[in-house]
Amino acid sequence: MINIAVMVSGGGTNLQALIDQAEAGNIPHGKIKLVLASNEKAYALERAKKHNIETAVVKRKEYDSQDAFDDAIVETLHAHQIDMVILAGYLSILGERVIHAYQDRMINIHPSLIPSFCGKGFYGLKVHEAALERGVKVTGATVHYVNEIPDGGRIILQKAVEIQNGDTPEVLQKRVMEQAEWILLPKAAEMVAVKLDKEKSE
Ligand code: GRF
């Protein structure tokens, strides 16, 4: 069994999808042991509490350097025996100490078909604004491993979503979440948990 931490900053709809699929028995190789938020106001924390999942908050501004923040994140994850990390709408920058500690054991959901509309500054609604601005007919979501390049790690899963005439960024974001993100993330979580479980038992 792989211990999973989900790192969040906002509403937690991707966290909710993971919780729902785990409770439905569709993530048999992983257990969500911790929800780690970047701020105490993240509604994702309420979702975790409703399902008796442990929570923690580690705020970047409480640390005077990226390294000190990274060390606090790694300490929190290790204190909960976390094997694998899922970034689900997590907005703080994670430095190399965290990324190296969870090399090939940290995944992220990005609301576009990478390599389009990704990298520094592309998060949340900005991603959908850029897709609409460019006039693409198809967008979607990508789950990828996290490395030191923002949205630059190996791609695990992708799913395409049609853009419709008259779409606003908000309408498009909701469709990408419903038709791609909330489907891909639980599937990717189980795929990586299987892989790590096998490595753990070798
Ligand atoms: C959304 O923009 C989503 O597309 C991206 O993170 C943001 C917040 O998602 N993955 P959530 O509702 O907090 O999971």
Side-chain angles (χ1 to χ4, degrees):
M1 180 61 80
I2 293 295
N3 291 333
I4 297 173
V6 184
M7 294 179 68
V8 297
S9 294
T13 64
N14 278 286
L15 167 67
Q16 191 65 55
L18 288 163
I19 291 171
D20 294 347
Q21 289 305 313
E23 291 183 350
N26 295 329
I27 310 180
H29 289 80
K31 176 173 172 40
I32 303 171
K33 281 251 308 184
L34 175 69
V35 170
L36 175 47
S38 57
N39 69 88
E40 68 280 356
K41 292 196 273 309
Y43 185 68
L45 291 168
E46 302 315 312
R47 296 181 190 268
K49 288 169 188 164
K50 272 198 204 116
H51 291 267
N52 304 313
I53 298 169
E54 271 198 82
T55 59
V57 178
V58 180
K59 294 160 76 168
R60 173 68 183 82
K61 62 176 183 293
E62 289 180 357
Y63 299 85
D64 51 18
S65 73
Q66 181 71 48
D67 282 352
F69 174 66
D70 283 3
D71 289 345
I73 294 282
V74 173
E75 258 161 58
T76 306
L77 294 171
H78 284 173
H80 289 82
Q81 292 86 36
I82 298 303
D83 303 304
M84 167 184 166
V85 178
I86 300 177
L87 305 184
Y90 185 74
L91 295 176
S92 292
I93 304 292
L94 294 172
E96 60 185 26
R97 292 188 182 190
V98 181
I99 289 164
H100 291 165
Y102 283 89
Q103 186 84 33
D104 298 331
R105 301 193 292 147
M106 181 182 280
I107 67 176
N108 179 49
I109 175 90
H110 182 76
S112 76
L113 295 176
I114 288 175
S116 298
F117 314 117
C118 69
K120 204 161 164 27
F122 282 102
Y123 58 88
L125 277 179
K126 294 173 191 280
V127 175
H128 304 292
E129 285 161 5
L132 291 170
E133 176 64 31
R134 183 65 184 81
V136 294
K137 304 303 175 191
V138 171
T139 185
T142 303
V143 183
H144 61 91
Y145 284 102
V146 173
N147 66 8
E148 58 291 341
I149 303 158
D151 301 325
R154 270 189 345 271
I155 289 172
I156 300 168
L157 290 176
Q158 291 191 302
K159 191 168 188 298
V161 173
E162 300 253 314
I163 289 183
Q164 291 167 12
N165 288 338
D167 271 350
T168 62
E170 291 76 8
V171 165
L172 181 56
Q173 177 177 56
K174 191 93 167 61
R175 190 178 311 122
V176 169
M177 282 175 157
E178 286 168 346
Q179 295 184 11
E181 294 181 47
W182 299 343
I183 295 166
L184 289 184
L185 198 53
K187 267 171 77 173
E190 173 60 10
M191 283 167 65
V192 177
V194 166
K195 180 172 174 288
L196 295 178
D197 212 21
K198 216 177 285 160
E199 287 167 9
K200 225 177 161 183
S201 50
E202 272 157 8

